[in-house]
Amino acid sequence: MNANAGWFDLSENKGRCGLGVNMGLVGWNTRYGDFGWGPSINVNGVYLDFLSGGPAHEHSKVRLGDGHLFNDSTAFLANVGYQLPIFPWLRVMPLVGYCQTDAGVTDVSKTYGHHFGYAVTNSYHPYIVTPGTRRHYINFGLGVFVQPVQGLEVYAVGSLHALYGGISINLGAFAKHKN
């Protein structure tokens, strides 16, 4: 019956190659969650993404009278999943992954940067992880992908330790229709 309806026709994944960007809450449902962003890739239905967030004060401007240490946190997430076609424009994806969070301090009394010619640009402050605060989690959840127009996918992912969405360009769709 599923074959007649076209549901879960995994041959629909053949030739799909998408690159995207996603953003949202990383380390959600943990003590040190943060807002983050990162890339995603989808090849023949296999999906991989990364999200990273924090520290919030890494690029803060230092002024006289500012304290030297700011409490901060970071979060990192990596997921892998497989897209299951429901309709040509709708896919669902179970996923599993890894999440890491920690707390620490950003020392604004020290500034580092990249030297280009005469100027120092992209100044940042070092982040020091507080010993004993790093936590590791197994992540699992579900994503929903919608293709509103050919070559473009919009998606949302809800998992145990992340809530995020993104946009992806399906490069495979352009290669198929080059005739």
Side-chain angles (χ1 to χ4, degrees):
M1 187 169 134
N2 285 345
N4 290 336
W7 292 7
F8 303 116
D9 181 7
L10 301 182
S11 66
E12 288 285 323
N13 286 335
K14 185 177 180 187
R16 296 181 73 82
C17 180
L19 297 175
V21 62
N22 45 49
M23 61 182 68
L25 297 173
V26 186
W28 179 69
N29 202 19
T30 69
R31 186 172 176 188
Y32 304 116
D34 208 339
F35 180 82
W37 67 279
S40 68
I41 186 168
N42 173 21
V43 177
N44 293 329
V46 176
Y47 175 85
L48 179 66
D49 70 16
F50 302 94
L51 281 95
S52 180
H57 297 285
E58 182 178 30
H59 299 286
S60 294
K61 302 295 181 202
V62 179
R63 297 183 309 269
L64 290 176
D66 284 346
H68 294 289
L69 300 176
F70 286 105
N71 291 329
D72 253 334
S73 64
T74 63
F76 171 79
L77 179 78
N79 288 316
V80 64
Y82 189 77
Q83 293 183 350
L84 303 171
I86 303 295
F87 299 112
W89 56 270
L90 177 66
R91 299 167 180 282
V92 295
M93 176 190 64
L95 60 85
V96 65
Y98 167 78
C99 179
Q100 173 185 302
T101 63
D102 59 56
V105 294
T106 299
D107 186 353
V108 297
S109 68
K110 298 177 183 168
T111 303
Y112 300 104
H114 304 285
H115 297 274
F116 296 105
Y118 300 106
V120 175
T121 58
N122 295 331
S123 296
Y124 64 95
H125 307 288
Y127 171 73
I128 303 133
V129 175
T130 303
T133 63
R134 182 160 285 166
R135 301 287 184 259
H136 308 276
Y137 305 94
I138 299 289
N139 190 45
F140 55 89
L142 187 69
V144 176
F145 289 72
V146 176
Q147 184 176 338
V149 295
Q150 181 179 340
L152 181 70
E153 290 181 326
V154 179
Y155 57 93
V157 175
S159 67
L160 187 59
H161 297 296
L163 292 173
Y164 59 97
I167 188 165
S168 178
I169 296 179
N170 180 4
L171 304 174
F174 298 111
K176 286 181 186 177
H177 300 290
K178 271 189 160 178
N179 298 340

